[in-house]
Amino acid sequence: MSDGTPRMNDFQILTRNAVDVIEENDLRKRLEHAASKHAKLRVKFGMDPSSPDLHVGHSVQLLRLRAMQQAGHQIVLIVGDATAMVGDPSGRNKLRPQLSRAEVERNLVTYQEQAARVLDMSRTEVHRNSEWFDTMRFEDVLRLAGKATVARMLERDTFEKRMEAGEAIGVHEFLYPLMQGWDSVMIRSDVEIGGTDQLFNLLVGRELQEKEGQAPQICLTFPLINGLDGRKMSKSYGNSIGLTESAVEMFGKVMSLGDDVMGMWFALLTDLPEAEIEALLAGHPRAAKARLGEELAAFYHGRDAGRAARESFDRQFRDRELPSDIPEVEHAWPSDGVPLAILCRDLGLAPSSSEARRTIEQGGVKLAGEVQKDPKFVVQRPGEPLLVQFGKRKFVRVR
RNA sequence: GGGGAGGUUCCAGAGCGGCCAAAUGGGCCAGACUGUAAAUCUGGUGGUUCUCACCUUCGGCGGUUCGAAUCCGCCUCUCCCCA
């Protein structure tokens, strides 16, 4: 796939699914220029070390980077360790907590491991922006701040909304776009990509580069993918799929995806040709979703794992058989047995005995396949490992 | 610097001396239905071997009271108006 030489169809590769392409003609020109000189474009992507958990939402952009990398361009990953001290106001309606250096460092490590699932990190240039921000003096900061106006900052819809809603905006938050823009200057980026919520920040990079006598970077934005439930994808909503999740988890989560977001997921997360996607979407939604789940699981875990995940899911939920990989755990049994609610808590099936009790009373718990609605039901040490099912998906065998 | 309004359980938002672990909605969990979709219906949603009771919670610390999320004082944070 990759021979290290930029190709002429890079334009399509790079802009697939893109929402904003600024400036399109400029991008074509630069790609041609790079191709004719066998030069690489420097493609910048900023990572936010305040949230180290990457999910498929991030992969929309990572996949573009991967394509660019395979086309022979240079990916430059900026670790926003200095900016993380500020907190990106994008898409926020609240002030972000500021992180300590130690937290940032820790997050950075896990982030890189996860990014490596999509990118070839050995061919990726990585910079922390503290490299240039740490040595700035206040005077330098002021000079940077002087390159933007308050009116310009307030144009930002997120600030505008927060103002209207009467929420707090820290003065330091105005610095965030400037810092991110300055990163572009420091690494002389040709292209920067980000989510649609990053457009403002990306454009600030262009302006700063121009003021510093550099060619302004091309800005590409990509859609923010909706989560499993159709809302904005966010780890805190619990509607995302993490890049490190198992094939089985990925497949299962995809199956719980809302029908109306399926098309978006196909387009943004798979390489399937458009015609095939349309055919799938025209068929039965369950079949399409299963295909999507398998594609996704296969991308991160290989074809075999993808297929296995699908088969195991079908067994468990379509054919209503037990999952194949029920964990078996040892329990320290008191001689007179233990009440079911307590057992569930101790087995880690429920976070508290109260919660276990509620679930049990509502018929959500089965012992050896039989519903047991009495939380005080005393379970004795079983001869054979006892199958406990808690809710729809938690299974365990106790000994 | 002055004046005003606020900080409530995951979120939004009621409560304004006891009936408050705290309305309602959202989210989430469980059950029915089903394609682990949507829609709908039912129940639940701080903790404790728990239908009683007890413990922790309504920005923080103190106080008044038999009793405070609710009253008082100080502190702290946010928003608005004026300067």
Side-chain angles (χ1 to χ4, degrees):
Chain A
M1 182 94 196
S2 163
D3 55 9
T5 312
R7 295 152 188 245
M8 286 308 289
N9 66 346
D10 283 358
F11 183 81
Q12 278 96 33
I13 294 174
L14 190 49
T15 59
R16 185 181 174 189
N17 295 320
V19 176
D20 301 293
V21 182
I22 300 164
E23 249 290 296
E24 202 172 315
N25 288 332
D26 193 14
L27 175 59
R28 287 182 199 279
K29 262 185 238 158
R30 280 210 226 184
L31 284 168
E32 280 167 30
H33 183 75
S36 68
K37 299 219 162 166
H38 291 276
K40 297 174 173 182
L41 288 187
R42 294 172 64 73
V43 184
K44 174 191 171 202
F45 183 65
M47 72 151 276
D48 171 14
S50 63
S51 56
D53 293 299
L54 289 180
H55 51 62
V56 293
H58 301 102
S59 75
V60 174
Q61 290 145 49
L62 290 176
L63 288 171
R64 284 312 92 209
L65 292 176
R66 173 193 174 90
M68 282 308 283
Q69 189 170 53
Q70 289 177 343
H73 295 291
Q74 179 63 53
I75 306 305
V76 184
L77 196 61
I78 301 292
V79 178
D81 61 342
T83 27
M85 308 289 194
V86 177
D88 182 7
S90 294
R92 298 272 149 186
N93 50 16
K94 282 190 178 153
L95 268 169
R96 254 196 202 185
Q98 298 181 21
L99 280 94
S100 73
R101 298 265 168 186
E103 285 171 314
V104 167
E105 283 309 305
R106 213 175 314 123
N107 291 346
L108 173 56
V109 174
T110 53
Y111 185 99
Q112 283 183 303
E113 285 166 7
Q114 294 175 74
R117 288 168 187 262
V118 182
L119 296 179
D120 178 352
M121 294 303 285
S122 70
R123 291 201 288 142
T124 301
E125 194 176 315
V126 180
H127 292 282
R128 293 161 206 224
N129 61 7
S130 59
E131 282 172 34
W132 41 88
F133 285 121
D134 275 5
T135 54
M136 272 194 168
R137 290 179 306 157
F138 196 70
E139 186 189 336
D140 302 314
V141 176
L142 288 178
R143 197 176 302 127
L144 179 59
K147 293 180 192 298
T149 63
V150 171
R152 174 85 178 99
M153 288 299 158
L154 288 176
E155 281 173 22
R156 252 201 120 145
D157 55 346
T158 50
F159 284 142
E160 211 177 318
K161 279 178 198 150
R162 281 164 61 181
M163 292 284 281
E164 276 168 26
E167 279 160 356
I169 298 174
V171 171
H172 67 292
E173 293 186 81
F174 283 160
L175 257 25
Y176 190 95
L178 286 169
M179 291 173 80
Q180 193 172 317
W182 193 246
D183 292 342
S184 296
V185 172
M186 295 313 285
I187 64 143
R188 308 188 78 89
S189 69
D190 293 300
V191 178
E192 177 164 8
I193 78 173
T196 48
D197 60 337
Q198 290 295 312
L199 183 61
F200 183 91
N201 291 342
L202 305 190
L203 291 174
V204 170
R206 267 175 85 80
E207 288 170 27
L208 292 184
Q209 282 177 307
E210 273 190 292
K211 285 186 178 165
E212 296 301 312
Q214 293 183 17
Q217 64 184 9
I218 313 296
C219 303
L220 292 176
T221 67
F222 295 91
L224 299 176
I225 195 167
N226 288 113
L228 296 167
D229 53 5
R231 291 186 295 161
K232 178 186 162 214
M233 184 177 289
S234 159
K235 203 188 158 216
S236 53
Y237 286 157
N239 63 359
S240 64
I241 299 180
L243 298 191
T244 55
E245 292 188 39
S246 72
V248 170
E249 284 170 323
M250 284 184 174
F251 188 90
K253 284 194 177 181
V254 169
M255 290 309 282
S256 74
L257 183 69
D259 282 2
D260 43 347
V261 275
M262 209 172 18
M264 181 189 238
W265 278 48
F266 264 118
L268 296 176
L269 301 178
T270 73
D271 291 327
L272 298 179
E274 236 171 83
E276 191 172 351
I277 294 176
E278 273 178 38
L280 281 164
L281 291 176
H284 189 78
R286 192 196 185 272
K289 218 173 280 177
R291 176 66 188 280
L292 177 62
E294 197 174 331
E295 289 293 327
L296 203 64
F299 182 82
Y300 291 99
H301 298 283
R303 279 250 95 86
D304 290 346
R307 195 174 321 109
R310 175 182 194 154
E311 283 163 6
S312 130
F313 181 90
D314 282 346
R315 254 201 316 281
Q316 184 178 344
F317 294 103
R318 191 190 59 196
D319 309 330
R320 306 208 169 183
E321 286 170 21
L322 295 173
S324 51
D325 55 342
I326 300 176
E328 193 165 303
V329 297
E330 197 93 42
H331 188 67
W333 296 93
S335 56
D336 51 348
V338 48
L340 183 55
I342 306 303
L343 180 69
C344 288
R345 183 195 60 191
D346 291 348
L347 291 174
L349 297 168
S352 69
S353 64
S354 296
E355 180 140 346
R357 179 172 46 81
R358 285 180 218 121
T359 306
I360 293 164
E361 284 170 350
Q362 294 182 101
V365 174
K366 288 181 189 171
L367 284 177
E370 296 295 316
V371 174
Q372 175 56 62
K373 286 192 170 183
D374 180 9
K376 287 181 177 166
F377 178 80
V378 175
V379 186
Q380 301 293 343
R381 169 187 225 117
E384 289 294 299
L386 175 68
L387 175 68
V388 184
Q389 179 178 2
F390 191 92
K392 273 196 276 278
R393 14 191 136 162
K394 292 179 185 166
F395 293 85
V396 79
R397 284 187 211 280
V398 239
R399 282 186 284 137

